[in-house]
Amino acid sequence: MDLQFVYQKKRSEFGRQCLFSDKGPDLIDNYPSNKEHLPNFILRDPFTQGTQCSTIQSEHDLNTTRAHFINYGINHSEGGWPKDVSKDEEEQVKRYRRKVEKEDAYNPTVMSLSKSMEYFVLQNNSINIYQQYFTDMKALPMVEPSSIRTVNVYHDQCTTKRPVNRISWSPDGGTKLAVTHCCLEFQKPTTPSTSYSYLWDVENPNTPLLTFTPIETPMVCIEYHSKDVNTLISGHISGKVDVWDARKGNDPVNKSTTDVSHREPVRSVLWINSKSGLEFFSTSTDGQVKWWDTRKLNQPLETLILSAPGQVIEKAMSACSLEYEPSIPTKFMVGTEKGSPGEKMATRYAAHLGPVLAIQRNSGYQKNFLSVGDWTIKIWSEDCRESAIMWTPSHSAYLSDGSWSPTRMSVFYTTRSDGVLDVWDVLQQQRHACMSTKVSDEPLSCLRIHEQGRLIAVGTAKGTTSLVQVTENLATSSKQDKSLLNAMFERETKREKILEARNRELRLKMKAKSAEAIPTESQGQMETLAVEGDEFELDPNVQLAEEEFYYIVESEEKRGTYESIFCLFCF
């Protein structure tokens, strides 16, 4: 059996013929060395590489027969109907069919056509070995692991490093960042260079796009207009508010006067819905909330004093955070240093043991809002006044800021004093953060989330602003997230209502028993004693915090770290 086959190829297909000859080397050009150029060269370490035993390489090519395809198309219209029968009229079609079925040639014609039709039906039902049975099934998306990475870092241009107080994204898709730097320590000396704040281009972390130069005092907070990419408002440590136009340089275009401004540093400014679109709120630690119009800063439109028994400035509660939801134009929320956020003073919530540093409504459920203070985060409902519906355990580090994700309703982010950024998802777990990342070695002071949910600007106590990016799964909601979160909020709200009713019932019983047990001379004295007993009743939130505190102290004492935990809580 002959197993040989000869491959033939024309000589012209091999390429140009190589003609070799025995000839000595030719000197084409000669460049003598010049010692003057020696300083321009960098000496390189000796490097030796053998070239005799190099890898053998070869070239292969393969040509296949190309298949040529041609597409044809035909136009088909239903025919065979008589001119007096319209195929669009159902009655005429039925009448014509009954007429054809009564003819004598109808049955033989159908019988003759049935054999060929049966053949094609059986052929169509035969097994196709190339058929794809799972074309209708959609491929399940791959589960992406959650992660956070740092994209850019923006440094304070001042030699004296100052904390980052507030960050604001521009409304044109978040291409710019407005960052304020200010030290709020009491009687901290300031210079013109330490009063500067910056406007950054997100893509350029080296040089600020614009430097804000306040005339008198540093800027504490700043906020972009929701529709105008050039208009900003700011609050200053002197209590004044300014209006800025990025097109007109680094000086304010309008500012308030001292006699109508706040008496202490402005902690928050927010734009509100109005016909002109030029009105905003400001709040300060002097216990006032002022309503301004950017066209007339010589006098606020309205002033609210945060005092429970009337508008008394001496009894006002210092405000440190402000929240306004445009979809609820008649309500705004204020977080005070006494730990209770009040909504237009119509409702007061005993939220935290310290200042409420951040407060924000959920983007999908306006009745539920988040508050950040001391060492915990709490989620509240407007239907429950006495306690939160959800809260986190006490952290070992002090919390500084928090915010809901604008694109995924169940996720919120918090910053801590140990430089850690926490990511919480209430649908996954409530006792621990689903992810924690060390962003900086310095304490984190504030954060602001991009409108698309993937970029987060985080400020530190040393003046550094880090731009971090989260994965897509932390910024995208699934189809079931909204229904599951709604069911969770309703369940927790109903549970808290039942517990509130039970606690009120127990308190009434305790009052009745104490009033009956204490002998008094008159009914008036009995009522006074009952009221005094109610005043000294321990707050459930304080009792819970005390239990958690002693539990942490005991657990850390067993591990030999009692002193550090004790100092941390004392601070």
Side-chain angles (χ1 to χ4, degrees):
M1 183 176 180
D2 189 8
L3 299 178
Q4 296 181 355
F5 184 79
V6 179
Y7 291 91
Q8 296 181 355
K9 196 172 185 180
K10 294 181 180 181
R11 179 63 189 81
S12 60
E13 297 180 359
F14 283 95
R16 185 177 180 181
Q17 184 179 1
C18 297
L19 300 177
F20 300 97
S21 61
D22 188 6
K23 183 181 179 181
D26 295 335
L27 181 62
I28 299 175
D29 201 351
N30 183 22
Y31 294 94
S33 60
N34 189 353
K35 294 184 178 181
E36 296 179 356
H37 297 165
L38 182 61
N40 298 331
F41 292 88
I42 299 176
L43 296 179
R44 184 179 179 183
D45 294 337
F47 181 75
T48 305
Q49 180 179 2
T51 58
Q52 297 297 327
C53 299
S54 60
T55 305
I56 300 175
Q57 299 180 356
S58 60
E59 181 180 0
H60 301 274
D61 55 40
L62 178 66
N63 294 327
T64 58
T65 304
R66 183 182 297 274
H68 298 279
F69 298 93
I70 301 176
N71 296 326
Y72 292 97
I74 61 173
N75 295 325
H76 171 72
S77 60
E78 188 175 357
W81 298 94
K83 294 182 179 180
D84 57 342
V85 177
S86 176
K87 65 182 188 323
D88 298 329
E89 296 291 338
E90 186 178 358
E91 293 296 332
Q92 296 183 13
V93 171
K94 289 182 179 180
R95 192 181 306 111
Y96 180 75
R97 285 178 177 174
R98 286 195 297 267
K99 177 181 177 182
V100 173
E101 290 174 358
K102 292 180 181 180
E103 295 180 357
D104 297 336
Y106 175 75
N107 290 334
T109 304
V110 173
M111 293 298 295
S112 62
L113 295 176
S114 62
K115 294 181 180 181
S116 60
M117 181 180 65
E118 183 180 2
Y119 169 76
F120 289 111
V121 170
L122 294 176
Q123 185 182 17
N124 188 43
N125 293 334
S126 62
I127 298 176
N128 182 9
I129 62 175
Y130 301 104
Q131 183 179 0
Q132 297 181 2
Y133 292 95
F134 304 101
T135 55
D136 296 336
M137 295 183 61
K138 296 182 180 179
L140 296 176
M142 298 181 63
V143 179
E144 183 182 9
S146 301
S147 63
I148 296 178
R149 66 184 184 94
T150 302
V151 180
N152 280 329
V153 178
Y154 311 91
H155 297 280
D156 186 5
Q157 304 297 304
C158 183
T159 56
T160 304
K161 301 305 178 184
R162 306 155 297 163
V164 177
N165 286 54
R166 188 62 56 88
I167 302 172
S168 180
W169 289 91
S170 62
D172 57 344
T175 59
K176 292 183 284 294
L177 273 176
V179 182
T180 62
H181 299 266
C182 178
C183 183
L184 294 176
E185 295 182 9
F186 181 67
Q187 292 185 348
K188 183 75 174 180
T190 60
T191 60
S193 61
T194 59
S195 301
Y196 295 162
S197 295
Y198 308 101
L199 180 65
W200 295 90
D201 188 350
V202 175
E203 301 296 335
N204 183 17
N206 299 321
T207 306
L209 189 64
L210 180 65
T211 301
F212 298 105
T213 57
I215 299 176
E216 298 177 357
T217 54
M219 300 164 59
V220 181
C221 54
I222 194 169
E223 192 68 27
Y224 254 109
H225 195 281
S226 58
K227 297 180 180 179
D228 190 352
V229 298
N230 297 309
T231 304
L232 303 95
I233 52 175
S234 64
H236 297 254
I237 197 171
S238 62
K240 295 182 180 181
V241 292
D242 289 355
V243 181
W244 304 80
D245 193 334
R247 298 166 297 184
K248 297 182 180 180
N250 50 11
D251 293 328
V253 296
N254 197 1
K255 60 181 180 179
S256 63
T257 57
T258 305
D259 55 337
V260 298
S261 302
H262 294 278
R263 301 188 298 178
E264 295 185 17
V266 180
R267 300 301 297 270
S268 181
V269 288
L270 284 179
W271 292 95
I272 62 175
N273 280 346
S274 61
K275 294 182 180 180
S276 62
L278 300 174
E279 298 176 5
F280 64 95
F281 281 144
S282 67
T283 186
S284 170
T285 52
D286 63 353
Q288 299 183 77
V289 178
K290 292 181 180 292
W291 184 1
W292 302 89
D293 190 328
T294 57
R295 298 166 297 183
K296 298 179 295 182
L297 292 184
N298 55 351
Q299 184 68 33
L301 301 179
E302 187 177 348
T303 300
L304 172 67
I305 299 175
L306 300 176
S307 60
Q311 302 286 312
V312 182
I313 189 63
E314 289 78 9
K315 299 182 180 180
M317 297 179 291
S318 299
C320 51
S321 59
L322 183 64
E323 198 278 339
Y324 177 79
E325 176 58 37
S327 59
I328 311 177
T330 59
K331 294 183 179 181
F332 66 95
M333 305 187 73
V334 181
T336 66
E337 290 187 352
K338 291 187 177 181
S340 59
E343 186 177 344
K344 196 65 177 181
M345 299 307 294
T347 308
R348 296 179 62 187
Y349 300 85
H352 299 276
L353 302 177
V356 180
L357 301 177
I359 182 170
Q360 186 185 25
R361 291 184 183 270
N362 190 288
S363 59
Y365 300 92
Q366 307 300 334
K367 286 188 176 182
N368 300 98
F369 56 91
L370 174 80
S371 66
V372 178
D374 47 64
W375 297 271
T376 59
I377 307 108
K378 296 185 179 181
I379 300 177
W380 300 80
S381 175
E382 290 186 358
D383 298 333
C384 298
R385 306 294 178 89
E386 298 181 6
S387 61
I389 61 173
M390 299 172 65
W391 57 86
T392 63
S394 298
H395 293 72
S396 58
Y398 197 78
L399 300 178
S400 56
D401 201 356
S403 176
W404 288 102
S405 172
T407 55
R408 188 167 182 179
M409 295 176 289
S410 62
V411 174
F412 62 90
Y413 302 86
T414 57
T415 53
R416 304 191 328 211
S417 59
D418 56 356
V420 175
L421 174 66
D422 289 334
V423 184
W424 295 80
D425 191 343
V426 296
L427 292 180
Q428 294 185 9
Q429 56 184 359
Q430 295 83 33
R431 299 294 298 176
H432 303 283
C434 62
M435 196 172 80
S436 299
T437 303
K438 184 80 170 179
V439 177
S440 175
D441 295 332
E442 305 296 335
L444 302 182
S445 57
C446 61
L447 66 88
R448 197 66 178 269
I449 306 176
H450 190 267
E451 59 182 7
Q452 296 180 1
R454 293 200 61 185
L455 295 176
I456 306 173
V458 183
T460 66
K462 294 297 182 180
T464 302
T465 304
S466 300
L467 184 64
V468 299
Q469 184 180 27
V470 300
T471 51
E472 187 70 26
N473 59 341
L474 293 176
T476 305
S477 298
S478 62
K479 296 181 179 179
Q480 298 179 352
D481 283 353
K482 188 172 184 179
S483 59
L484 293 175
L485 187 63
N486 184 29
M488 175 179 289
F489 283 161
E490 290 183 354
R491 181 179 67 251
E492 296 298 328
T493 302
K494 186 180 296 184
R495 182 179 66 87
E496 289 300 325
K497 285 183 178 179
I498 295 173
L499 293 177
E500 287 179 3
R502 178 60 177 167
N503 290 335
R504 285 194 296 267
E505 183 179 355
L506 292 176
R507 285 197 295 268
L508 291 175
K509 290 182 179 180
M510 293 296 294
K511 285 183 180 180
K513 290 182 179 180
S514 61
E516 294 176 358
I518 299 176
T520 57
E521 297 179 358
S522 63
Q523 185 66 21
Q525 294 179 355
M526 183 183 298
E527 292 178 357
T528 304
L529 291 174
V531 172
E532 290 178 355
D534 183 64
E535 289 180 355
F536 287 96
E537 184 179 357
L538 188 62
D539 189 357
N541 295 328
V542 177
Q543 185 177 3
L544 179 61
E546 184 179 358
E547 293 175 357
E548 292 182 358
F549 170 75
Y550 284 115
Y551 173 76
I552 294 174
V553 170
E554 291 175 1
S555 60
E556 296 296 333
E557 187 178 11
K558 294 179 181 178
R559 296 194 304 174
T561 59
Y562 175 78
E563 292 183 358
S564 61
I565 294 297
F566 181 77
C567 294
L568 177 63
F569 275 88
C570 286
F571 176 78

